[in-house]
């Protein structure tokens, strides 16, 4: 874990090295100042030597200035190193997420990934800065102050040693108790983010069903869980301050008591006593800083594990060593294909699929909910890999293709249509970033989208809100189809992507496909018989298996499932020759 995180310090190694260097310089100057102060008191004030007071005073000012400058520079370089480290982590996580296959993405929740990119990275940033500054300063200050104290008076310094041991044991007990709460709190953050995301995404449904109170209660519960975990941890951490104050004041009293007796017996000087009291504060404040460092490291350890999970997750779909860089045609062959979303699944989703599709053929796919229609077509563009058997496109196993080459030739309009914030043209050019406006218009005409775009005041410069919330479901589907057509693919897959389109428009889209892109292999998943009845062949899926293949007329005669669906959809009327309802 540490190794996977440490490599993201690249670009900020210099700052990461300079920070502890300047922190050590700051500590060195702070340790010198009490000695100079003792010299002023003993050799200057008590001896009446004004020249000595001036000379040592100048050295004290210089030491303080060097300490100040070193502290400022340490803070500057530490801030640059920690923020740079956080930037690199976010970038690396985001870039790695982009490489994930669908099966990799399924391992993480959306809310969990958001928490990792925000809260967890912020915790790592704070922890890294603490490690560079406090983890250098606190131990160095503690060791140096203890060494100087023993140098001045070993017997009196034993008070510090006892205090450090007692305080260290108490802090260890506190930290061990709080660790488990901090490790649990980030899972509560995931629940909180999930509640927020779900509510915002579905705000229209929430308002339509007047469920604001229910959503408020759900958020309050998630927020309350985070609150409770932090309260439990912080209530234990609050023992830090009184424990530290008790130890500090006890040490001051003991040092003052024993030191005063030693001064009376002429075995100790006033300046040395002042130095010991100063080192007392340095030692105990160093312990307090270490306790805060331990708290931050404890919090960040859970974050570091969660970040490492994302960074170390490798896509299970990768390019072969010598990938095929060209798809010759749109033929598709399924050869004894089995598929399961999880490797250890008891039963595969797809079972022994054997299918051959010719280039330019139009294939309809129909079946009940959960019959694995979408799973079947997801294997063609290698969004998932088969569990057994093989899928070939253009006569080549899809696992031998360069992934980008394959997916550029297989356009998929997914069941969940997604539009991004930007103009209509911006969204269309996701299909082809170099497409001209004329090409975009032509694609929209084929998808029957141009007719409603022309009614917008700004036409193709109309701004689409995030998720396409300012267009209807049918308009969104047609824009997504146009976007896919701009890729000029050899295979076009429409995964129930005309469900929100009226049957007349659906018929127009299919007719345009037949006339304008006859060489493109078209796979149309649909719930309506009218959407597939004019296909060259229709595949009937049932429980992950192919139940029947044939034309519309053939299946009406030979396939019970297809006939039942047809009769249920035509019981209230029949279909015209174009597939539209009369």
């Amino acid at each position: 874990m540490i190794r996977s995180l440490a490599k993201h310090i690249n670009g900020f190694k210099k700052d990461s090295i300079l920070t502890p260097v300047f922190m050590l310089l700051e500590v060195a100057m702070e340790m010198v100042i009490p000695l100079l102060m003792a010299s002023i008191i003993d050799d200057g004030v008590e001896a009446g030597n004004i020249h000595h007071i001036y000379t040592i005073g100048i050295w004290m000012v210089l030491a303080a200035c060097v300490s100040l400058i070193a502290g400022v520079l340490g803070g500057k370089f530490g801030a640059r190193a920690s923020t740079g480290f956080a930037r690199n982590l976010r970038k690396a996580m985001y870039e790695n997420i982009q490489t994930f296959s669908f099966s990799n993405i399924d391992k993480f929740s959306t809310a969990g990934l958001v928490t990792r990119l925000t809260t967890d990275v912020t915790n790592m940033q704070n922890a890294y800065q603490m490690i560079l500054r406090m983890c250098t300063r606190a131990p160095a200050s503690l060791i140096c102050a203890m060494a100087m104290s023993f140098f001045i008076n070993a017997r009196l310094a034993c008070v510090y040693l006892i205090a450090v041991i007692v305080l260290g044991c108490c802090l260890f007990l506190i930290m061990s108790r709080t660790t488990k709460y901090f490790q649990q709190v980030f899972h509560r953050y995931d629940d909180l983010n999930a509640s927020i995301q779900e509510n915002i995404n579905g705000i229209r449904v929430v308002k339509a069903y007047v469920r604001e109170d229910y959503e408020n209660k759900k958020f309050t519960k998630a927020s309350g869980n985070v609150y409770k975990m932090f309260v439990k941890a912080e209530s234990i951490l609050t023992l830090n301050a009184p424990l530290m104050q008790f130890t500090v004041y006890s040490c001051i009293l003991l040092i003052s008591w024993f030191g005063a007796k030693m001064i009376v017996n002429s075995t100790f000087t006033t300046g040395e006593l002042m130095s010991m009291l100063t080192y007392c504060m340095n030692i105990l404040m160093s312990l307090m800083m270490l306790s805060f460092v331990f708290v931050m490291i404890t919090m960040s350890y859970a974050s570091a594990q969660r970040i490492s999970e994302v960074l170390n997750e490798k896509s299970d779909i990768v390019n072969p060593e010598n990938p095929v860089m060209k798809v010759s045609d749109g033929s598709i062959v399924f050869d004894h294909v089995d598929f399961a979303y999880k490797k250890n699944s008891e039963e595969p989703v797809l079972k022994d699929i054997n299918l051959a599709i010719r280039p330019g053929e139009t294939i309809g796919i129909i079946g009940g909910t959960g019959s694995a229609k979408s799973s079947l077509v997801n294997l063609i563009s290698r969004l998932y890999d088969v569990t057994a058997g093989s899928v070939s496109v253009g006569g080549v196993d899809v696992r031998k293709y360069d992934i980008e080459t394959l997916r550029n030739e297989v356009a998929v309009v997914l069941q969940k249509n997604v539009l991004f914030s930007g103009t209509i043209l911006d969204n269309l050019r996701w299909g082809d970033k170099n497409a001209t406006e004329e090409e975009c218009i032509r694609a929209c005409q084929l998808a029957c989208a141009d007719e409603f775009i022309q009614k917008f005041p700004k036409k193709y410069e109309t701004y689409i809100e995030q998720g396409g919330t300012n267009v209807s479901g049918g308009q969104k589907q047609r824009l997504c189809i146009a976007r896919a057509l701009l890729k000029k693919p050899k295979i076009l897959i429409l995964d129930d992507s005309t469900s929100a389109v009226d049957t007349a428009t659906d018929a127009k889209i299919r007719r345009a496909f037949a006339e304008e892109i006859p060489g493109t292999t078209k796979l149309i998943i649909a719930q309506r018989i009218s959407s597939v009845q004019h296909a060259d062949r229709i595949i009937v899926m049932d429980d992950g298996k192919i139940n029947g293949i044939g034309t519309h007329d053939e299946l009406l005669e030979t396939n019970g499932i297809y006939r039942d669906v047809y009769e249920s959809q035509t019981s209230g009327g029949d279909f015209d020759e174009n597939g539209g309802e009369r």
Side-chain angles (χ1 to χ4, degrees), residues 127-147:
Y128 189 58
Q129 186 169 29
M130 292 279 277
I131 289 170
L132 290 179
R133 298 185 66 197
M134 296 299 103
C135 272
T136 303
R137 175 185 170 80
S141 181
L142 176 65
I143 293 169
C144 290
M146 286 290 291

Side-chain angles (χ1 to χ4, degrees), residues 36-51:
L36 296 175
M37 182 177 64
S39 179
I40 286 178
I41 293 172
D42 293 337
D43 301 328
V45 175
E46 292 187 356
N49 187 344
I50 192 68
H51 177 72

